[in-house]
Amino acid sequence: MEAQLRDAVRELCSRYPNDYWQRVDRTRSYPDAFVAELTEAGYLACLIPEEYGGSGLGIREACIILEEINRSGGNAAACHAQMYTMGTLLRYGSDDQKARYLPGIADGTLRLQAFAVTEPDAGSDTTAISTFAHRQGDKYVVSGKKIFISRVQHSDLMILLARTTPLEEVEKKTKGMSVFVVDLRDVPENRMEVRPIEAMINHETNELFLDELEIPVENRIGEEGEGFRYILGGMNAERILLASESVGDGLYFTDRAKQYAGERVVFGRPIGANQGVQFPIAKAYVGIRGAAAMRDEAVRRYDRGEACGAEANMAKLLAAEAAWDAANVAMDAFGGYGFAEEYGIERKFREARLYMVAPISNNMVLSYIGQHVLGMPRSF
Amino acid sequence: MEILVCVKRVPDTETRIRIGDGGRSIDPSGVKYVLSPYDEFAVEAALRTKEGLGEGEVTVTTFGDDASQETLRSALAMGANRAVLLEGAATMDGLTTAKVLATEIEEMDPPLVLLGMKAADADQQQVGPMLATLLGRPCATAVAEFEVADGKVVCRREVEGGTEVLELDLPAVITVTKGAYEPRYASLKGIMAAKRKPLEKKPVDVPESALVVEALEPPPEKAAGRIVGEGPDAVAELVRLLREEARVL
C-alpha cells in the first residue's frame, strides 16, 4: 500500500513539472490545476474517515503524500491544510457539525484550509491573543486582528481562535479561549477585511481585520473556554506532516544536486567526482535520512496513541534544518545556475526556508525540548 | 460486455537487472516489480471500452505466484472490477502461459480478451497470438486503437508507412501497443477501492514445457569514451578516427 501510494502520488506530480510551478510562482498565483487534480484523486481527504467520504487513512500515509509532493518540486503548502485543519472539527466537533462539513471537505466542495490563531501582538505566545468573541444570545460577535493567516482567499471555511473570557478573568491563561468555524461565504462586507501580505515566496497569506463579525453559536466547536486545548490537539500532527514536507524538500535538493553534479563536466570530469562537491551532498542526504527516521518514530508513537510531542517537535526541527542544509548544498553544486529561475533551485530554496520559522520557530522547539523533555528552567 | 485483460508482473523498466545464480534467471532481490507497461495500455483500453459502452465488467488475470496479487491490485486501482490470480509457477515459455490462460478463458468465455503487445521483460510477443490460436479466435496484434460495435471490433494498427484497419468478429483476442490508450494513474480513491474488490486465487495445473532457458548474459560493458580534442581543431582527428579506427566513414 505504501509503495503503491508513493508511486501514485509521484505519477500525479510528474504531470506538474518545474515549469508549471515556476509559472505559478512568477505570477504569484494559486496552483489551481494541481490542487484540483489532487483533490479529485482523493489525496487531500486521506485523513477523513470513510463514513464522511474520505479514505480513513493514518498520518503515515498523509506524510507520504506531502513528502512526495515536495520531493517532486511542488509546494504542498498551497493545500496541505485542507488535509489536516479539519482535525479540530473531527476530534472535537459535534456529530451535527461533522455531518454538516466533513463530506464537503472530503470531496473538495468545501475548502477548509485557513486557521486563524496568530495575532500581531501574540505570535508564539498564543494565550495572549486579544481577538474577542462576545456571546449575544444565539450568536457571538467577534472583533480583533489576525496575521499570517494563509489561504483565506482559497477557503470556504476558516477555523478561528478567539478569547471568550478576558485574560485577566481566567484562572489559567490557557483557559477562556474558544474555537469557531467561520463560514467565509456568509461574511457580510465590512465585517472582515482580508489584506494580502506580499511575501518572499508564492504563499497566499493575509492580515485579517474582524469588526463585529457575527458567528452563530452552533458554529462553536466543543465547549466554550476550552479552545486552546483543542488547538493544541492538532499541533503534533501538524509538526509531523510539515516535517515530511521538509524531508521532501531535502530529497528534492539532493536528487537534483546529485544529478547535476553527475552531468556537469568541468576540467574534464563531472564535478560530482570532486570531494568538495560530493561530500556536502552526501552529508545533506545523511541529515535528511536522520530527520526522516525521527519523523517515522513520531509517526509510530502517534499511530499508537502515545505521547509524541517530543518526537514531533524534534522531527520538525531536524527536517527543517536538514532541508535548509540541502538547499544550500544544491545552490553551491549548481553554482550560477542555481540562481537561474529555470532550474527551480532558487524557488525551492526560498520555499524550504519557511519551515525554519513556521508553523513554529525552531527556537520555540528548542525551548520546548529544554523545558519539557530535559526539565530545564523555562527560557522565555 | 465482459472484457478480460491478461497482465504480467515484470521488473520496473528502471530497475537495474542482475543475473541470478545459475545464470538462467534474474536475481529478484531488490527488484521493484510493476504491471507491464504494455498491459497498462490494455487495461486502459478495456476501461475506456467499458465506459464507452456504458456497461460490462473488466476482469484482470495473471498467471504467477502470490506476489502477482500486487500487480492485479494495481489494475484494480486503475478501475478494473475484479481479478483472478492463476496461481502456479510461470516460466519463460509463452506456450505454457497461453495454455494456462486458454483453459481459464474457455471457462469464462469473455467476448473480448486483451493483452499487452508484449511483456516488458521477456519481449517475446508470443502469448497473445498463441492464446488466440488455442481458443480458435481471430487475433489482431499491436493494435493502437479499437472500437467495439455490433458484435465486431474494428482495430487500427500502425504499420510501416501507414495505418491498417482490421475488422474482427467477436469473440476475439487483441494485443495492444502504445497508441490511443495513455494509461490513467491510480488515484487514492482507486487504491482504496481496489482493496475491497474481489480477487480470486485459483491454483492451476501447469502443463509440461518443452522449452528451457539455457543462459542469460548481461550486455557487454561499454568501453570508456574518449575525448579527442575540443573545438574545431578536434574535427580532423575525429574524422581520422571514425575512418581508420571505427571504420564507419
Side-chain angles (χ1 to χ4, degrees), chain A residues 31-321:
Chain A
D32 289 302
F34 173 76
V35 175
E37 194 161 352
L38 204 63
T39 304
E40 172 56 31
Y43 292 108
L44 296 180
C46 68
L47 293 171
I48 297 177
E50 287 182 281
E51 57 180 309
Y52 295 112
S55 298
L57 293 170
I59 198 162
R60 186 179 302 271
E61 289 82 7
C63 284
I64 291 172
I65 294 166
L66 295 176
E67 181 182 314
E68 287 301 326
I69 293 171
N70 276 29
R71 184 175 190 170
S72 79
N75 182 16
C79 55
H80 58 195
Q82 177 76 0
M83 214 183 235
Y84 59 79
T85 309
M86 63 84 209
T88 311
L89 189 59
L90 180 64
R91 274 187 295 271
Y92 308 108
S94 66
D95 287 347
D96 174 60
Q97 287 170 331
K98 287 192 268 191
R100 188 157 21 127
Y101 297 122
L102 289 176
I105 296 169
D107 69 23
T109 50
L110 275 182
R111 296 164 303 165
L112 168 57
Q113 49 179 356
F115 193 64
V117 175
T118 303
E119 297 187 2
D121 300 319
S124 299
D125 188 5
T126 304
T127 60
I129 60 166
S130 58
T131 295
F132 201 89
H134 285 280
R135 175 84 185 246
Q136 287 181 10
D138 58 358
K139 64 186 186 221
Y140 286 90
V141 179
V142 189
S143 294
K145 273 189 286 189
K146 296 284 178 184
I147 195 162
F148 298 121
I149 310 307
S150 300
R151 298 165 296 268
V152 177
Q153 298 162 59
H154 292 88
S155 294
D156 302 300
L157 305 173
M158 176 174 83
I159 298 283
L160 171 74
L161 182 73
R163 278 225 160 262
T164 37
T165 310
L167 186 57
E168 48 277 14
E169 290 173 28
V170 290
E171 273 177 46
K172 282 177 74 177
K173 61 184 182 175
T174 53
K175 296 289 181 188
M177 286 172 276
S178 303
V179 172
F180 303 92
V181 181
V182 179
D183 195 327
L184 297 168
R185 299 164 301 176
D186 289 350
V187 173
E189 270 187 54
N190 308 327
R191 290 287 165 253
M192 185 171 103
E193 188 191 341
V194 179
R195 206 177 285 173
I197 299 170
E198 299 296 330
M200 176 177 90
I201 54 173
N202 180 28
H203 185 81
E204 185 232 300
T205 195
N206 309 278
E207 230 175 329
L208 303 185
F209 299 88
L210 308 175
D211 183 15
E212 301 193 343
L213 172 69
E214 294 183 359
I215 302 174
V217 169
E218 69 252 30
N219 281 26
R220 191 190 68 223
I221 295 178
E223 299 291 315
E224 184 177 288
E226 293 296 316
F228 187 68
R229 185 164 63 81
Y230 304 154
I231 296 293
L232 285 189
M235 294 287 182
N236 287 334
E238 188 185 50
R239 305 267 194 280
I240 296 169
L241 292 170
L242 271 62
S244 299
E245 290 176 18
S246 287
V247 167
D249 280 344
L251 292 171
Y252 166 85
F253 289 120
T254 52
D255 288 346
R256 297 293 313 276
K258 178 193 81 171
Q259 187 196 6
Y260 183 78
E263 290 166 359
R264 173 75 173 154
V265 175
V266 181
F267 302 119
R269 59 190 203 152
I271 59 171
N274 300 312
Q275 293 180 0
V277 175
Q278 184 185 111
F279 288 6
I281 298 172
K283 191 153 185 286
Y285 181 77
V286 172
I288 298 156
R289 290 296 301 274
M294 180 61 81
R295 185 270 320 263
D296 293 342
E297 174 61 14
V299 165
R300 272 191 293 278
R301 298 182 68 95
Y302 187 95
D303 273 348
R304 290 196 298 249
E306 296 170 7
C308 64
E311 289 75 15
N313 274 289
M314 290 192 286
K316 187 269 169 190
L317 179 138
L318 286 170
E321 290 190 342

Side-chain angles (χ1 to χ4, degrees), chain B residues 196-216:
Chain B
R196 284 188 284 266
K197 289 180 180 172
L199 193 159
E200 183 191 350
K201 287 201 244 179
K202 258 187 169 174
V204 292
D205 295 324
V206 182
E208 284 282 316
S209 169
L211 181 150
V212 289
V213 177
E214 274 296 308
L216 289 176

Side-chain angles (χ1 to χ4, degrees), chain B residues 98-109:
Chain B
K99 283 177 177 172
V100 168
L101 291 172
T103 306
E104 176 65 19
I105 291 168
E106 270 168 2
E107 199 179 305
M108 294 167 61
D109 198 27

